[in-house]
Amino acid sequence: MNKVSLLLFFLLAVTTIGCAQESETKVVNPYSKWDGFVLESNPYYFPIGVYTQRPEYAGKYKELGINLYYYLWQGPTAEQITDLKKYGMRTICEFNEYAKENLINDPVVVAWTHLDEPDLVKFSRNKLTKMGQTETKALVKKMWPKMYDKMELGTKDYKGWGFGYSPEYCREEYEKIKKYDSSRPVILGLSKGVVIKEFNARGDRKYNNEDYQNYVNGSGDILSFDIYPVAYKIPEQLNKVADGVDSLAKWDSKDRLKFVAIECTFGRPDGPSATSEQIRAEIWMAIIRGARGISYFVHNFDGDKKFVRSDGLLADPEMMNAIKKQNAEIHSLAKVIYADETSNVKINGNESKIDFVAKEVDGYLYVLSSTITTEEVEAEFNLDNISNGTIEVINEKRTVELKNGKFTDQFAGYDVNLYKIKL
């Protein structure tokens, strides 16, 4: 190769590398604000947890694409942490005395839990009756002073239905954790009361939905909630999962990250339980609305909501395969999920029945979409900057045609379609 040819080859190589670098979209993982949360080996780490499982099963869950243990039963303990490290599994766990003394600088912990579902009754009517009136009224006065006054407990006996932890109490506990460890986030996990009004399990606070804004803005760096529509026998309301993300965002004054607990094997073996298609719909509806982490609830309860087993997913090979596939899909699209939105896509008609978000990443336009109703829907999408082409429907082994900047596709009720289009 002569000098001229060598120079041309060098210039071509530099130009090619430069183009490749320019086509790669810069995307920031929102969890990178906390040191150690994002793995160096995986810059687009997306948290996929499993709720309250035995650490010795961590290897099995890791094979399914689960990368986080969310809560440790009566832990953390030294034995639990040893087991998690054995399988390279990290955790979000309670800030107990063992954690305070041993785990503040341990990378196995990515975040601390904070009073799981404090909005629900923690002091039941039976428990308060055993405590006696004097102690009960003192507790109400400390926890819920306005309720104490409204019930006139200065002169009357308490005859309520019980209550949970107040937002003020939650804030105090949150501040205690942050005093010891300001480097990690604290997650606040709320109940389905986020989207279900007049929820009986809230006891005396049943009609006081204004509590939620105070919970959200007082005591968490990451916000989470759970609702399991199929297990709760409202399968026609899968959209409640997405609505809960909206509620948290509405109350949140600091634009914090949102987690969602997803039902998996709740009603199995003989009760109502979500199918893999319903689980996929719940997940993507939540992600489209802004969720940036999920955790599967994999316990088994029977049709009467009686506990059967905690590791129900591991007893269900068919569901295991479905969850493994679903998790692989999320991980493969994590960079897309974290990317900024583009406004270059619009939908004609059926806006109230279809949710979607569009992202431009590494030379492709991605449109993540789902129906938010039980109805079948035909959707027409308009693209501003692309006129014609073939669109890949991700993980469905099919394509749709883009003509004159438009494409049409069919959606079943609570259906998910993820599109990839070359720019």
Side-chain angles (χ1 to χ4, degrees):
M1 183 179 289
N2 59 39
K3 293 182 178 179
V4 174
S5 298
L6 185 61
L7 178 61
L8 289 173
F9 175 80
F10 175 75
L11 291 173
L12 179 62
V14 171
T15 302
T16 302
I17 293 171
C19 291
Q21 290 175 338
E22 290 175 1
S23 66
E24 183 174 348
T25 306
K26 292 184 179 179
V27 175
V28 176
N29 189 321
Y31 292 98
S32 61
K33 69 178 72 175
W34 296 295
D35 291 342
F37 203 116
V38 178
L39 300 168
E40 291 185 8
S41 60
N42 182 10
Y44 304 111
Y45 172 86
F46 189 97
I48 300 180
V50 63
Y51 182 80
T52 317
Q53 292 297 293
R54 294 170 64 178
E56 60 262 38
Y57 296 154
K60 296 179 181 179
Y61 286 115
K62 193 172 184 179
E63 290 176 1
L64 303 182
I66 288 168
N67 54 27
L68 197 61
Y69 262 43
Y70 186 25
Y71 279 94
L72 295 170
W73 178 248
Q74 295 182 342
T77 65
E79 183 180 6
Q80 289 172 337
I81 296 300
T82 297
D83 283 342
L84 291 180
K85 288 182 176 180
K86 177 180 178 181
Y87 297 105
M89 182 68 72
R90 300 192 298 170
T91 183
I92 297 176
C93 61
E94 184 180 348
F95 192 68
N96 62 11
E97 287 301 316
Y98 174 81
K100 187 186 298 183
E101 295 176 7
N102 299 278
L103 300 179
I104 287 181
N105 297 312
D106 196 321
V108 72
V109 178
V110 299
W112 302 112
T113 59
H114 181 236
L115 297 173
D116 189 30
E117 297 183 323
D119 52 319
L120 300 188
V121 168
K122 303 300 180 183
F123 303 95
S124 67
R125 191 174 189 176
N126 288 339
K127 182 184 292 187
L128 294 171
T129 298
K130 293 177 181 178
M131 287 172 56
Q133 284 294 327
T134 300
E135 191 174 348
T136 294
K137 290 195 284 186
L139 180 61
V140 177
K141 188 174 185 178
K142 176 184 177 181
M143 192 75 67
W144 300 97
K146 290 183 180 179
M147 189 170 74
Y148 177 90
D149 292 338
K150 187 175 181 180
M151 289 183 167
E152 300 178 14
L153 297 185
T155 57
K156 297 181 180 179
D157 284 349
Y158 173 82
K159 296 181 180 179
W161 296 96
F163 45 86
Y165 296 115
S166 67
E168 291 74 21
Y169 180 82
C170 291
R171 185 180 66 250
E172 291 172 3
E173 294 301 303
Y174 165 77
E175 290 172 351
K176 288 178 183 177
I177 296 174
K178 299 299 283 189
K179 180 179 178 181
Y180 280 94
D181 184 4
S182 61
S183 66
R184 288 187 182 89
V186 175
I187 189 165
L188 173 68
L190 297 167
S191 77
K192 67 177 182 178
V194 166
V195 283
I196 303 294
K197 295 183 179 180
E198 300 180 8
F199 185 23
N200 288 334
R202 296 205 63 217
D204 298 332
R205 306 303 297 173
K206 176 179 178 180
Y207 300 104
N208 295 272
N209 294 313
E210 70 277 7
D211 292 343
Y212 282 98
Q213 186 166 352
N214 294 325
Y215 281 120
V216 164
N217 287 307
S219 56
D221 303 302
I222 298 172
L223 307 175
S224 179
F225 83 104
D226 61 70
I227 184 170
Y228 310 131
V230 178
Y232 295 153
K233 300 181 182 180
I234 49 171
E236 72 284 357
Q237 297 182 48
L238 297 186
N239 59 299
K240 290 292 186 184
V241 176
D243 291 345
V245 180
D246 279 349
S247 293
L248 292 178
K250 178 182 70 176
W251 296 319
D252 182 12
S253 63
K254 299 180 181 178
D255 193 27
R256 281 160 288 192
L257 292 162
K258 315 297 190 297
F259 266 47
V260 177
I262 299 293
E263 62 184 322
C264 186
T265 56
F266 189 114
R268 296 178 183 234
D270 61 354
S273 183
T275 65
S276 58
E277 291 81 8
Q278 289 170 321
I279 291 170
R280 185 172 185 244
E282 291 181 18
I283 290 170
W284 283 105
M285 282 190 291
I287 289 174
I288 290 167
R289 294 281 182 92
R292 293 297 178 260
I294 65 170
S295 181
Y296 294 108
F297 189 83
V298 302
H299 292 56
N300 280 163
F301 289 82
D302 64 17
D304 296 322
K305 295 188 179 180
K306 292 181 180 178
F307 176 77
V308 177
R309 62 184 296 168
S310 63
D311 59 339
L313 177 58
L314 300 182
D316 190 335
E318 183 178 350
M319 185 59 75
M320 286 174 65
N321 289 334
I323 294 301
K324 184 176 183 178
K325 180 180 178 181
Q326 174 58 64
N327 292 343
E329 182 173 73
I330 296 171
H331 290 312
S332 70
L333 291 170
K335 185 177 182 179
V336 176
I337 294 169
Y338 290 145
D340 293 334
E341 297 181 24
T342 178
S343 59
N344 293 335
V345 178
K346 297 178 178 60
I347 191 169
N348 284 339
N350 290 320
E351 291 91 342
S352 64
K353 299 177 182 178
I354 297 280
D355 264 0
F356 77 93
V357 64
K359 314 283 186 89
E360 293 183 2
V361 178
D362 297 342
Y364 288 90
L365 173 67
Y366 292 84
V367 181
L368 315 178
S369 61
S370 69
T371 37
I372 51 175
T373 172
T374 57
E375 299 176 37
E376 295 182 5
V377 178
E378 181 178 85
E380 181 183 79
F381 293 89
N382 287 2
L383 280 56
D384 287 349
N385 298 330
I386 316 173
S387 297
N388 300 290
T390 299
I391 299 172
E392 175 189 353
V393 186
I394 297 172
N395 291 329
E396 292 191 29
K397 297 181 179 179
R398 67 182 180 94
T399 59
V400 294
E401 292 302 311
L402 174 66
K403 295 181 180 179
N404 300 319
K406 300 179 181 179
F407 74 92
T408 302
D409 203 5
Q410 304 294 322
F411 289 74
Y414 289 123
D415 195 8
V416 175
N417 286 327
L418 311 175
Y419 304 105
K420 182 179 180 181
I421 307 143
K422 181 69 176 177
L423 291 170

